C-alpha cells in the first residue's frame, strides 16, 4: 500500500483505525474513550518529502500529557496533523464512541517517556554535585549529608552498610545544642560537607553505569523540596537534595492524586526553568493560577529571585522585581490576597562573619512586581529559619518553631493580617518540643498540624494539632506518621474516596499527603504517605 496514512489503535484489543491520509484530511481530533489504557499511533505507506506528522495529547483543560502515561480518569483528546497534506480537505472532529466506565482496579501507571535533554542551561558551578563541598556559613541551616537513599521508610537499600553521616547538625564553630555529639559530627562530616571524595567518586561512577537507561517513574529521594497543590487532582514537586549532597537531577514532578501517580514534569513547561535548589518556597495563587517560587540556596549560591509557573499555559517566567529583598533560604512564604508574605529565613554574610537569621517581613506584590516592607507592630518573633507558617481563616498567620543556631524554638506567634500586628500566643496542653524543618498543614478553619522536624540532634516523628479557638495543643499518634523525618513536605488536598477515585455524586474528602524528607541517619525518603484529615481529627 503506497498511499500514506496515519492509523491509531485504541486499547490492546482495538482494531486499527485510519485517522489521516496525505491526500485527505490533514487534521483530526480523537476523544479517547475512558476505558482505553493504551494508544498506539503508526503510519503506513511511503512518506513524502514534505510530510511531517504531529501528535498532541491533551486533557479536558487542554493541558499537555506526556506520551507514555495515560490514565482512564480524565477526558483526553488526541490531536494529530499532517504537514504537506491538502488543508482544503480538513474534516470535522472525529469522536470515538465513549462508554460509561467506573474503575474498579487501579492499573499500574505506564512508565513515562525518557526525559528529554534538560532545557535549563547549567551554570559552570553545576558540574558534578557529587564531589562538591559547601564550605560557606550556609552550613548553619543547610544540612543533608547522607550516603544512602531509602524509597520507603521501613526498608534499607540492599547491600549498603549503615552510614554514620548526619543529615542535620549544628554549625561548625558554633555552640552545639545540648546533647549534640561533636564526635559524630566530625566523623560523619559537619553540615554542608560531602562524604570523603574517594567514596563519593566511586559511588558516582557506580550510579552512572550505562545499563541504567530506564526513566524514573517517581521522584528520587530528597529533602528541602516543595510540594504545591494547584487543584484537587494535581500537585507540583519542585527542587530538593538527596544523598551525597547531590541536588536532584529530576527536580520537577507532577502528582496526580486520582491514582497517586507521578509524572516527570520538567520538560512539560516552557521558558526559563529555575535552577535546582533547596530551602525555597513555592505557593499557588488560585486566582491567577500561578505558582510563585522564591529564594533558596545551592552550594555557595543564594537566591532572591522570583520564578512564576503559569499552570494554564505551562510556561515559566522570571520576575525583574523592584525593591530590595535579601537572598533567603528556609524562610516561610504565605499567600494572602494575591501577595507573598515572606518571613524570617537564613541569609549569607561576608566571611568571616557567620550567616544570620532574619526577623523581617517582606511582601511581594505580583501586580506591581515590587518588594516592600510593611509597618508591623506588636511582639514579633525573634530571628529564625526552618519555621512554619499557616494561614488560618484568611485573617491570621500562625508562626511556629524554627531555629537560630544554637537555639531551637517551640514558641508560637500570630500575625493579624487586618491589623498587621504580631502577638505571642500563650498555649495550653502538651506543646511540641523545640524543632525546625518540620512539616505543617492547615486541617480546618480552626486547626493545623505540626509533624516531625529536627531538634538539633535527632529527626522527630511526633505529630500535634493546634486549635486556634482554644489555643491548645493535642498530640496525636497515627502509624502513618510514625517515621522520623525532617525537611519533608506536607500538604492537604480535596480528593475522592477509594484510593482517590470519586464516584458520581460523591463529595471529595480532605487528605493529608506527606512526601520525602530525611532522618539524620543518612536516609532520604521518596515515599508518599496519605492520611485522611477526618482520621486525624478523630484522633483528638
Amino acid at each position: 500500500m503506497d498511499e500514506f496514512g496515519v492509523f491509531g489503535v485504541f486499547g490492546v484489543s482495538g482494531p486499527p483505525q485510519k485517522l489521516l491520509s496525505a491526500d485527505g484530511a490533514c487534521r483530526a481530533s480523537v476523544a479517547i474513550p475512558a476505558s482505553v489504557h493504551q494508544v498506539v499511533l503508526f503510519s503506513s505507506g511511503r512518506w513524502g518529502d514534505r510530510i511531517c506528522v504531529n501528535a498532541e495529547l491533551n486533557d479536558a483543560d487542554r493541558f499537555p500529557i506526556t506520551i507514555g502515561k495515560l490514565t482512564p480518569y480524565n477526558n483526553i483528546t488526541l490531536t494529530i496533523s499532517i504537514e504537506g497534506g491538502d488543508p482544503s480537505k480538513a474534516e470535522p472532529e472525529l469522536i470515538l464512541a465513549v462508554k460509561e466506565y467506573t474503575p474498579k482496579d487501579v492499573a499500574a501507571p505506564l512508565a513515562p517517556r525518557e526525559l528529554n535533554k534538560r532545557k535549563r542551561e547549567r551554570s559552570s558551578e553545576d558540574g558534578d554535585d557529587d564531589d562538591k563541598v559547601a564550605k560557606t556559613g550556609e552550613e548553619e541551616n543547610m544540612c543533608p549529608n547522607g550516603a544512602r537513599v531509602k524509597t520507603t521508610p521501613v526498608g534499607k537499600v540492599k547491600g549498603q552498610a549503615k552510614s554514620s553521616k548526619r543529615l542535620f547538625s549544628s554549625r561548625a564553630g558554633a555552640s552545639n545544642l545540648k546533647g549534640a555529639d561533636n564526635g559524630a559530627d566530625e566523623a560523619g562530616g559537619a553540615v554542608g560537607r560531602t562524604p570523603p571524595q574517594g567514596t563519593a567518586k566511586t559511588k558516582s561512577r557506580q550510579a552512572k553505569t550505562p545499563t541504567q537507561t530506564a526513566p524514573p517513574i517517581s521522584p528520587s529521594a530528597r529533602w528541602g523540596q516543595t510540594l504545591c497543590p494547584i487543584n484537587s487532582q494535581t500537585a507540583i514537586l519542585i527542587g530538593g537534595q538527596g544523598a551525597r549532597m547531590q541536588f536532584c537531577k529530576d527536580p520537577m514532578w507532577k502528582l496526580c492524586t486520582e491514582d497517586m501517580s507521578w509524572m516527570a514534569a520538567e520538560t512539560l513547561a516552557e521558558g526559563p526553568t529555575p535552577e535546582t535548589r533547596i530551602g525555597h518556597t513555592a505557593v499557588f495563587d488560585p486566582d491567577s493560577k500561578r505558582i510563585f517560587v522564591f529564594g533558596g540556596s545551592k552550594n555557595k549560591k543564594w537566591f532572591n529571585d522570583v520564578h512564576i509557573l503559569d499552570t494554564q499555559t505551562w510556561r515559566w517566567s522570571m520576575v525583574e522585581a523592584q525593591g530590595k529583598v535579601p537572598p533567603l533560604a528556609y524562610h516561610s512564604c504565605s499567600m494572602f490576597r494575591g501577595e507573598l508574605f515572606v518571613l524570617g529565613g537564613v541569609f549569607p554574610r561576608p566571611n568571616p562573619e557567620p550567616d544570620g537569621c532574619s526577623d523581617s517581613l517582606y511582601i511581594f506584590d505580583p501586580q506591581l512586581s515590587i518588594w516592600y516592607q510593611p509597618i508591623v507592630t506588636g511582639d514579633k518573633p525573634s530571628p529564625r529559619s526552618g519555621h512554619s507558617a499557616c494561614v488560618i481563616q484568611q485573617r491570621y498567620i500562625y508562626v511556629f518553631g524554627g531555629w537560630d543556631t544554637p537555639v531551637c524554638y517551640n514558641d508560637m506567634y500570630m500575625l493579624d493580617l487586618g491589623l498587621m500586628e504580631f502577638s505571642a500566643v500563650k498555649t495550653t496542653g502538651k506543646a511540641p518540643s523545640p524543632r525546625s524543618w518540620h512539616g505543617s498543614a492547615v486541617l480546618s478553619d480552626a486547626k493545623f498540624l505540626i509533624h516531625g522536624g529536627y531538634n538539633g540532634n535527632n529527626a522527630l516523628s511526633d505529630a500535634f494539632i493546634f486549635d486556634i479557638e482554644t489555643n491548645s495543643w493535642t498530640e496525636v499518634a497515627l502509624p502513618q506518621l510514625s517515621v522520623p523525618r525532617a525537611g519533608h513536605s506536607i500538604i492537604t488536598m480535596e480528593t475522592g474516596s477509594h484510593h482517590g477515585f470519586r464516584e458520581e455524586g460523591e463529595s471529595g474528602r480532605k487528605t493529608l499527603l506527606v512526601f520525602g524528607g530525611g532522618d539524620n541517619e543518612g536516609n532520604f525518603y521518596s515515599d508518599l504517605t496519605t492520611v485522611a484529615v477526618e482520621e486525624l481529627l478523630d484522633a483528638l
Side-chain angles (χ1 to χ4, degrees), residues 226-287:
T226 57
L227 186 60
C228 182
I230 62 174
N231 55 44
S232 59
Q233 295 88 30
T234 311
I236 303 298
L237 175 68
I238 299 174
Q241 186 182 46
R244 304 187 307 277
M245 300 293 292
Q246 179 176 342
F247 284 81
C248 297
K249 301 284 194 271
D250 54 336
M252 187 173 172
W253 288 80
K254 182 179 178 181
L255 172 66
C256 175
T257 61
E258 290 181 322
D259 58 357
M260 294 301 170
S261 63
W262 292 98
M263 178 195 304
E266 188 182 11
T267 58
L268 294 183
E270 299 178 346
T273 308
E275 188 172 348
T276 306
R277 58 192 68 189
I278 58 173
H280 56 288
T281 51
V283 294
F284 178 69
D285 178 14
D287 294 329

Side-chain angles (χ1 to χ4, degrees), residues 485-496:
R485 65 180 80 206
H488 51 302
S489 299
I490 296 185
I491 60 173
T492 54
M493 297 180 66
E494 293 284 346
T495 62

Side-chain angles (χ1 to χ4, degrees), residues 498-518:
H498 307 299
H499 304 288
F501 305 122
R502 192 177 302 176
E503 303 289 347
E504 185 176 355
E506 179 185 22
S507 60
R509 67 173 185 175
K510 209 168 187 178
T511 303
L512 185 83
L513 291 87
V514 182
F515 172 79

Side-chain angles (χ1 to χ4, degrees), residues 40-262:
V40 177
L41 291 180
F42 65 94
S43 67
S44 180
R46 184 169 302 180
W47 287 70
D49 293 337
R50 296 182 300 115
I51 290 178
C52 175
V53 177
N54 301 310
E56 186 178 85
L57 206 61
N58 293 288
D59 64 12
D61 296 322
R62 295 185 178 272
F63 286 164
I65 297 173
T66 300
I67 294 177
K69 176 178 176 57
L70 294 178
T71 62
Y73 317 118
N74 291 314
N75 295 321
I76 298 174
T77 300
L78 171 68
T79 300
I80 58 175
S81 62
I82 290 183
E83 297 178 11
D86 186 354
S88 64
K89 297 182 180 181
E91 295 181 357
E93 183 177 46
L94 172 63
I95 306 294
L96 300 183
V98 178
K99 298 180 181 179
E100 268 196 42
Y101 177 72
T102 302
K104 296 180 179 179
D105 299 312
V106 182
L110 299 176
R113 63 180 176 181
E114 184 172 354
L115 292 176
N116 293 329
K117 183 179 179 181
R118 297 262 169 94
K119 294 176 292 181
R120 176 164 64 251
E121 293 184 1
R122 306 292 184 182
S123 68
S124 59
E125 287 193 40
D126 286 354
D128 188 354
D129 290 327
D130 293 359
D131 299 328
K132 285 200 171 184
V133 180
K135 297 180 180 178
T136 67
E138 185 181 340
E139 294 175 353
E140 175 177 2
N141 288 285
M142 191 199 78
C143 304
N145 196 6
R148 190 149 43 94
V149 174
K150 293 182 76 173
T151 55
T152 60
V154 291
K156 298 180 180 178
V157 175
K158 186 176 180 180
Q160 286 187 317
K162 182 173 179 62
S163 170
S164 64
K165 299 199 175 298
R166 308 287 283 176
L167 176 61
F168 315 101
S169 65
S170 296
R171 210 166 76 95
S175 299
N176 288 335
L177 294 170
K178 184 178 181 180
D181 186 354
N182 294 337
D185 286 347
E186 288 296 324
V191 177
R193 299 179 187 170
T194 61
Q197 286 195 359
T199 303
K201 291 180 179 178
T202 301
K203 291 184 177 181
S204 176
R205 285 195 298 268
Q206 291 174 349
K208 295 177 182 178
T209 172
T211 60
Q212 297 178 352
T213 57
I217 60 172
S218 63
S220 60
R222 66 191 69 195
W223 91 292
Q225 72 287 332
T226 57
L227 186 60
C228 182
I230 62 174
N231 55 44
S232 59
Q233 295 88 30
T234 311
I236 303 298
L237 175 68
I238 299 174
Q241 186 182 46
R244 304 187 307 277
M245 300 293 292
Q246 179 176 342
F247 284 81
C248 297
K249 301 284 194 271
D250 54 336
M252 187 173 172
W253 288 80
K254 182 179 178 181
L255 172 66
C256 175
T257 61
E258 290 181 322
D259 58 357
M260 294 301 170
S261 63
W262 292 98

Side-chain angles (χ1 to χ4, degrees), residues 18 64 71 230 250 287 408 458 496 520 524:
K18 188 172 184 178
T71 62
I230 62 174
D250 54 336
D287 294 329
C408 209
N458 300 308
N520 198 34
F524 295 84

